[in-house]
Amino acid sequence: MMSMHAMEQHQHAHSLCTVRTGNDVFGIQSSAVREALHQCKPRRVPLAPAFVAGVLSYRGEILLAISLRALLGLDPRSDGSSAVVLEDSESGESFALLLDELLDVVEVDDTAWEPNPAMLDERRSAVYRGIYRTPGAPLVLLEPRDVQPTWLMRHQGTALLSGARA
Amino acid sequence: MPRPPATDREGVDDLTREFLLESNDGLDSMERGLNGLQGGADNAACISEIFRAVHTMKGNVGFLGFARLEQLAHAGEALLARLRDGALPVSSELIDLMMQLADRLRRILQLIEERGHEGRRDIDDDNPLIAVLKRAASGGAAAAVADDPADGLREALISGDKGRHAVESIVRVDVETLNRLMNLVGELVQTRNQFLQSEICAETFAQLGRRLDSVTANLRESVMQARMQPVGQLFQRFPRLARDVAASCGKRVKLELAGGETGLDKSLLEALKDPIAHAVRNAIDHGIELPQVRFPMGKPAEGRIELCAFHEGGQIVVEVKDDGAGIDCVKVVRCAVERGLLPVERALGMSDAEVMELLFEPGFSTSDEVTMISGRGVGMDVVRANVERIGGSVELLSVRGEGTTVRMRVPLTMAILPALIAHCGGQTFAVPHSALQEMVLVRKRDEERLVQAIGNTKVMRLRDRLIPLIDLGELLALDSNRPQGYYVAVLEAKGRQFGLIVDDVTEPQEIVVKPLSSALQSLNMFCGATILGDGQIALILDASGLARNGRIGEVAEATVQNHQHRIAIVPPVPPKTGEPMLVFADRAMQLAAVPLVCVERIERITSMQVEQLGGAPVLQYRGGLVSLEDAGGLMREAKHTREPWLVLICRRPGDTRKSVGLVVRDVLDVADGELLAGSTSLGEPVARIGKNIAVMYTGFVVPGGVVAAQDFLFQEAA
C-alpha cells in the first residue's frame, strides 16, 4: 500500500523527527509534528480501546493520546512519558502519540527509501510506511494519518474494543 | 440551505463594513421597537428607539454617499418625528409601513454587502414607498405600497437570512469585558516580570504562584464570557418573522421567548438560526390553525408559539413549541404513499415515532399546494441536516389537537456548566447539574437497609420510591474500594430516574466543556471532558448514555414504545401493553407479579409484628394500619418459625389512601410484562414476563390494560 503517494510527496531530501518505541526507530515528517512533549501523563479513559492511552490537556484542548506500543502489540503499560503532538493534514485532527523516547531531527533522502520487508507482521505493516536505509539503525517512516484516532477506530476499533472490554 | 454568493466581500472597505454592522444593529433595534409597539408596549419609548435607529442611519449614510438609503431614511425620519411629537397616532397601518421600510433598508444593506452598491435594477425604485411615507407623515392614508410587499419577506423566507454575513464572523464584546481582559493581561505581565526577577527560593515565590493562579483563572473566565453569547440575541430576530409569516397565512400568532439568558458559543448560535427559523415557519404554516378553527375548539384565537432554550443532560435544548393542531399521522402516511416515498405494505402498522421520521424525508410535504412559506419540500430534512452538522439532533413530538414541539439538541462544546465532581476507582468525573436531582450518602451500616437487590438489579429506597442503581465502578470496569460507604447521585435521563453509585464527591464547580475526540464518542458514556482547577482532566458523564449502557433506558424505551398506539388506517390491533413488573413467588411452583409502579416498599417482618383485627391480619406500619394479604397461605405455613417474611407494601390503583401488604415467599426480578387475554381458573389475569407466565394479583390490573404510572392515582379500582 505504500506508496507512490509517499514517493511523490517527498521527492528529495526532507527532515524527519525521529523517535524510538520498542526496538525500532521511527521518522515522522517534521512538518506534521506540532510539538514534542516530555513529561506527559495521559488520563486513562475507561472502556476505551487498547490503543488509546488516555486523554491529555494540550493548550486548552483535550487530545487523545495514542499508544504506539499498543499499536505494535507491545505492552502499553510500559509507555514512556514522551509524546509528539501530531496533526493529520486531511482531517485537521490533532492527537498525541505516546513513545518511548524522543531522539533527533535528521535529513533523509528519498533514494534511501525502501518498501516494508515482505515478512513484516500485519500489525506493523498497517503502520510502517517503508524504511530508510541509514548509516545506523534503519529508520521506519510513520505517517500521522495511519495512527490517527478516527481512522484507527474505524479499522481496528471493533476488534480491539472487544478485547479491551473482555 | 443556499446562500447568496459572497461576491467581492473584500471589495467592501472597512468603513462600509463598519457602517453595515452598525446599521444592521440599528435595524434590529428598530424591529424590536416595532414589535414592542405591536405588542402594546410603552409607545413613547418604542418610538424614540426606532427614531434613534433611523436617525443614526441617516447621519452615517450621508458621508458614504448611499443615495437610496439616505432618501428612505429621510422620509422615515420625517414620519417618525411626527409620531414622536404626538402629531400622529400609532396605527397598525403605520407599523406595517414602518416594517416595510425596515425590510427595504435591510435589503439595500444586503445589496451593498454583496455587490458594493445599492442596486440599480428597475425594481430597486423607492419612489412609491417614499411617496407613501410622505403622505402618511402629512396625515394621509398609510396604506402599504402595492409594489412588492412580500418581496423582502420571500427573500428572507427562502434564504432564511437577513443580510447578516458581515456580522457572522464578529463577536460583539462589552467594552467592560474588554477592559477587564486588558487589566488581567497587564497583571499577568507584571506577575511574569516579578517571577523573572525573583530567585526560585525567594520568600515571595509562593505568593507569586498564588497571584498567577488567580490571574489565570480570571483571565480564562473573562475570555470565556466574551465568547459566550446569550441565546436571547438570536431569539430576538424571530418575533418579526413570526408576525410576517402569520400575516401572510391569515393567522394570529404570539411568539413567546424563554431562556434567553442561556449562554451558547457564538458559532453554535449562528448555526441554529436557520433551523429555528424553519421550525417557527412550519409551526405557523402547518401547526397553528386559522382563528375560525381554533375558536370552536376552545382555544384562544391567537396561537401561541414558545421558543425556549435550556441546559439538559449535558446539552443545550432549543424547543419550538406550538399549541396548534399537532401532526396528523394518517395524513402524513397518506401523503407519503401518494408521493411514492413509502411503499403501501410498509405503511401498515407504522408507529407514531416511525411516522414522525417520515417528516424528515427529503422532499416530503403534506401541503396540497406550494405556498410562499412552505410546501416546497424543503423542510425538516434541512433542519435536521443543519443541526446535525454541528453535532446535534432533532426530535419531533406531537399530540393531536394539542400541538407540536420541535426539539433541537446541540452539544455544548465550549459551553460552561455547573457540575458535581465525583470520584470512582481513583478517577475523577464530572456530573452535570442538569441531570442531577439529589445526592444520597449511603453509609456502610445503612447499606443493607437502603439498598436491595432484586434479581440482578440493585434498587435503592428513596423516600417512597424504589429506584434502580448503576454502579459506575462496575460499569466502567474500575477498581473501587468503599470501606465507609458510598454516594448515590440520583440522575434523570429520558424521563427515568436512576441512581449512580460513586465512591466520593467533592464540591461542585463550573466547568468548561471540551469536546472529546470523535473516536471516543462510540463509547456513549462521556459527553466531553474538562480541565479541573488543579489541571487534572475529568471526563463528563453522559446521563442518558449511562442509563443506556446500564440498561435503564432500555426498559423505559420499551415501555414507551409499547404504550404507543398504532395508527388508525390499519385494522385495529389489540393494544400492546407492557410495563415493568415486580415478579415474585407466593406459593410453590407459581410465579406472580404486580406492576412495579404499585410497589411502594419491600419490608421484612417477623410473625411477632403481625396483629389480628376483626379476624384479619394487619401490620402497624408508619403510623397506619396495613392489611396483609396472604394468597399463598405463607403465614399459616410458617406460623411458628422466627424466619422473617417478605411483605410488598403496595397500593392498588385508584386507592390513594390505603396500602396493602402482600406476603410473598421471595422477590425474583423486575422485568417487562405483557398482559395476556386469558385468565386462570380462578379468574385471575395472567401476564407474560419474558418466557414465563405469571399470575397478576387482582386489583392491580385494570381491564383492557395495565395501569400507566401517570394515571395511576386517578384510575378507578377494578
Side-chain angles (χ1 to χ4, degrees):
Chain A
M1 67 187 223
M2 159 90 209
S3 174
M4 295 312 292
H5 187 65
M7 288 294 284
E8 283 157 18
Q9 262 190 346
H10 343 126
Q11 284 220 327
H12 302 291
H14 50 258
S15 89
L16 293 181
C17 189
T18 60
V19 297
R20 183 187 62 81
T21 293
N23 295 324
D24 290 339
V25 177
F26 298 84
I28 306 167
Q29 255 196 74
S30 299
S31 58
V33 179
R34 269 171 70 180
E35 195 169 331
L37 307 175
H38 286 280
Q39 291 289 327
C40 62
K41 272 191 109 96
R43 184 222 194 277
R44 207 157 61 83
V45 178
L47 305 185
F51 61 80
V52 175
V55 285
L56 44 92
S57 151
Y58 170 75
R59 306 261 159 92
E61 283 176 67
I62 302 281
L63 296 186
L64 205 64
I66 301 290
S67 161
L68 188 54
R69 291 188 73 91
L71 283 178
L72 302 181
L74 302 170
D75 185 0
R77 272 173 303 184
S78 48
D79 263 329
S81 61
S82 299
V84 281
V85 178
L86 302 178
E87 187 171 336
D88 178 41
S89 51
E90 268 169 58
S91 63
E93 187 177 2
S94 292
F95 60 96
L97 187 67
L98 231 58
L99 319 147
D100 285 3
E101 197 184 353
L102 293 163
L103 299 173
D104 209 350
V105 177
V106 298
E107 291 279 324
V108 291
D109 196 278
D110 272 332
T111 51
W113 179 85
E114 279 177 23
N116 285 339
M119 65 290 189
L120 199 66
D121 64 79
E122 205 177 319
R123 268 178 200 276
R124 285 188 166 74
S125 42
V127 178
Y128 290 20
R129 283 267 178 157
I131 289 159
Y132 284 98
R133 292 187 308 273
T134 62
L139 188 57
V140 178
L141 179 63
L142 198 70
E143 289 262 357
R145 70 179 121 140
D146 294 332
V147 288
Q148 182 238 358
T150 318
W151 193 92
L152 289 176
M153 205 65 195
R154 210 173 304 137
H155 292 83
Q156 304 202 312
T158 36
L160 288 173
L161 190 71
S162 52
R165 287 212 199 237
Chain B
M1 184 155 292
R3 276 247 291 266
T7 48
D8 48 22
R9 278 244 322 243
E10 283 70 40
V12 179
D13 59 50
D14 284 351
L15 196 60
T16 312
R17 188 166 308 189
E18 190 97 348
F19 163 74
L20 287 173
L21 260 178
E22 200 170 319
S23 303
N24 268 317
D25 274 1
L27 286 179
D28 281 352
S29 67
M30 182 174 176
E31 283 185 3
R32 241 190 338 267
L34 287 169
N35 284 325
L37 278 184
Q38 188 97 20
D42 178 13
N43 278 358
C46 292
I47 291 174
S48 47
E49 190 178 356
I50 303 169
F51 182 82
R52 255 198 316 277
V54 177
H55 181 74
T56 312
M57 186 186 274
K58 191 187 125 183
N60 285 342
V61 86
F63 62 89
L64 284 170
F66 292 123
R68 280 185 72 191
L69 284 178
E70 190 175 6
Q71 283 172 10
L72 281 168
H74 180 74
E77 192 194 32
L79 171 60
L80 280 161
R82 305 265 299 162
L83 279 170
R84 191 185 52 171
D85 301 341
L88 276 177
V90 177
S91 66
S92 68
E93 287 83 25
L94 280 179
I95 294 176
D96 283 345
L97 188 61
M98 223 77 76
M99 292 253 185
Q100 210 176 349
L101 175 66
D103 274 344
R104 184 70 62 92
L105 292 172
R106 205 182 287 272
R107 210 161 42 176
I108 299 173
L109 291 178
Q110 198 173 344
L111 278 174
I112 295 174
E113 196 193 341
E114 282 165 18
R115 310 209 171 108
H117 60 78
E118 294 178 288
R120 312 184 184 97
R121 295 165 300 170
D122 285 346
I123 57 161
D124 297 332
D125 181 14
D126 304 317
N127 286 330
L129 183 58
I130 292 172
V132 178
L133 285 168
K134 280 187 177 152
R135 197 160 61 238
S138 56
V145 187
D147 64 354
D148 54 353
D151 192 16
L153 174 64
R154 187 179 304 132
E155 266 177 38
L157 287 170
I158 292 171
S159 68
D161 207 299
K162 285 194 174 185
R164 280 260 159 195
H165 313 137
V167 194
E168 272 169 25
S169 52
I170 289 169
V171 176
R172 299 230 139 192
V173 180
D174 198 7
V175 179
E176 215 168 282
T177 314
L178 209 54
N179 286 343
R180 200 166 55 237
L181 280 175
M182 199 57 224
N183 285 342
L184 285 169
V185 171
E187 214 178 324
L188 191 65
V189 171
Q190 206 181 345
T191 317
R192 182 206 55 187
N193 291 347
Q194 286 176 349
F195 257 121
L196 291 177
Q197 284 164 15
S198 78
E199 304 285 316
I200 195 122
C201 45
E203 281 172 18
T204 51
F205 204 78
Q207 193 193 333
L208 281 174
R210 277 199 298 279
R211 167 113 63 96
L212 183 65
D213 182 53
S214 83
V215 171
T216 321
N218 280 327
L219 193 61
R220 196 192 73 176
E221 193 180 322
S222 301
V223 172
M224 227 55 221
Q225 262 171 16
R227 270 198 73 95
M228 301 295 273
Q229 307 278 308
V231 184
Q233 256 185 14
L234 176 68
F235 280 5
Q236 268 167 18
R237 301 181 198 169
F238 295 111
R240 169 68 204 282
L241 175 78
R243 180 188 164 279
D244 288 350
V245 176
S248 66
C249 306
K251 295 176 183 174
R252 286 174 57 198
V253 172
K254 187 167 186 209
L255 186 71
E256 286 176 9
L257 309 177
E261 70 289 345
T262 313
L264 195 58
D265 194 79
K266 170 81 178 168
S267 53
L268 293 182
L269 214 56
E270 285 300 330
L272 273 180
K273 185 181 62 185
D274 289 351
I276 296 177
H278 229 113
V280 170
R281 248 173 270 147
N282 274 342
I284 300 169
D285 195 32
H286 298 300
I288 304 284
E289 311 92 330
L290 290 166
Q292 54 268 37
V293 180
R294 290 178 65 88
F295 190 66
M297 294 170 73
K299 290 181 179 181
E302 189 178 58
R304 217 176 69 105
I305 297 179
E306 202 182 317
L307 181 55
C308 60
F310 51 93
H311 284 281
E312 190 192 85
Q315 288 174 313
I316 285 172
V317 180
V318 176
E319 282 186 348
V320 181
K321 197 187 292 178
D322 69 58
D323 68 344
I327 292 169
D328 183 344
C329 288
V330 177
K331 186 174 170 192
V332 168
V333 170
R334 197 167 52 226
C335 282
V337 173
E338 277 168 11
R339 271 156 223 254
L341 294 168
L342 181 74
V344 183
E345 57 279 8
R346 258 200 62 207
L348 300 172
M350 281 177 89
S351 71
D352 284 4
E354 287 167 316
V355 174
M356 297 287 179
E357 277 301 302
L358 283 177
L359 297 173
F360 290 105
E361 290 287 321
F364 183 84
S365 172
T366 54
S367 274
D368 301 330
E369 54 192 308
V370 173
T371 66
M372 191 175 75
I373 295 142
S374 41
R376 296 182 311 275
V378 182
M380 294 308 292
D381 60 316
V382 179
V383 171
R384 178 173 270 187
N386 279 349
V387 176
E388 282 180 353
R389 200 175 309 141
I390 52 169
S393 63
V394 183
E395 276 173 83
L396 258 183
L397 310 167
S398 177
V399 179
R400 198 69 214 287
E402 283 173 30
T404 307
T405 303
V406 181
R407 185 177 293 161
M408 299 173 221
R409 291 172 186 278
V410 281
L412 28 76
T413 307
M414 292 291 294
I416 300 178
L417 76 169
L420 183 84
I421 309 302
H423 305 272
C424 194
Q427 298 202 15
T428 311
F429 299 92
V431 183
H433 273 188
S434 47
L436 186 67
Q437 293 191 324
E438 60 181 293
M439 293 295 304
V440 181
L441 169 62
V442 180
R443 290 207 178 82
K444 200 79 202 168
R445 59 169 191 271
D446 300 333
E447 191 185 357
E448 205 180 324
R449 193 166 54 80
L450 290 171
V451 177
Q452 289 157 348
I454 297 181
N456 50 8
T457 331
K458 268 188 187 169
V459 294
M460 181 178 70
R461 299 162 173 208
L462 185 65
R463 287 181 284 281
D464 285 340
R465 287 160 299 153
L466 284 176
I467 58 170
L469 291 180
I470 299 176
D471 188 330
L472 188 64
E474 269 170 36
L475 190 65
L476 300 183
L478 300 172
D479 263 344
S480 41
N481 183 24
R482 301 158 179 151
Q484 305 291 326
Y486 46 80
Y487 282 89
V488 173
V490 180
L491 307 178
E492 191 182 282
K494 297 188 169 171
R496 285 282 289 209
Q497 224 181 10
F498 65 96
L500 184 72
I501 301 181
V502 297
D503 297 355
D504 197 8
V505 291
T506 41
E507 78 283 330
Q509 286 188 10
E510 294 238 299
I511 57 167
V512 179
V513 183
K514 306 271 181 192
L516 271 181
S517 162
S518 54
L520 292 181
Q521 273 163 15
S522 55
L523 291 179
N524 266 327
M525 298 267 195
F526 315 111
C527 54
T530 189
I531 302 163
L532 298 177
D534 57 0
Q536 236 193 103
I537 299 177
L539 296 168
I540 303 170
L541 295 174
D542 174 8
S544 47
L546 291 175
R548 208 169 27 248
N549 286 304
R551 300 169 56 81
I552 302 268
E554 252 169 53
V555 180
E557 269 159 34
T559 319
V560 169
Q561 267 175 14
N562 288 341
H563 275 308
Q564 253 165 11
H565 67 275
R566 304 271 138 176
I567 59 165
I569 55 165
V570 295
V573 181
K576 264 197 155 183
T577 48
E579 67 173 306
M581 304 273 187
L582 184 74
V583 188
F584 54 89
D586 60 346
R587 50 206 114 162
M589 307 298 286
Q590 183 184 304
L591 288 180
V594 289
L596 190 60
V597 287
C598 302
V599 182
E600 283 175 1
R601 303 178 74 94
I602 302 171
E603 289 289 349
R604 233 173 250 280
I605 58 161
T606 60
S607 57
M608 311 296 286
Q609 287 170 268
V610 179
E611 294 168 65
Q612 298 289 326
L613 199 67
V618 294
L619 177 69
Q620 285 193 36
Y621 182 70
R622 295 192 160 192
L625 279 183
V626 171
S627 59
L628 293 178
E629 292 182 14
D630 182 19
L634 288 168
M635 291 167 74
R636 220 176 23 251
E637 186 184 302
K639 197 159 190 172
H640 305 292
T641 62
R642 289 283 163 108
E643 289 280 295
W645 299 323
L646 277 181
V647 174
L648 311 180
I649 308 291
C650 296
R651 208 166 268 224
R652 288 216 154 88
D655 193 346
T656 54
R657 291 161 291 111
K658 217 173 70 195
S659 301
V660 296
L662 309 180
V663 185
V664 304
R665 193 184 290 275
D666 202 4
V667 173
L668 300 171
D669 200 2
V670 174
D672 264 13
E674 190 187 323
L675 207 60
L676 300 178
S679 62
T680 64
S681 52
L682 295 171
E684 292 164 314
V686 178
R688 189 205 316 274
I689 298 170
K691 287 190 200 116
N692 302 315
I693 302 290
V695 172
M696 296 294 294
Y697 265 46
T698 36
F700 290 102
V701 177
V702 181
V706 183
V707 240
Q710 62 271 20
D711 51 25
F712 172 50
L713 290 178
F714 310 103
Q715 205 107 31
E716 283 298 317

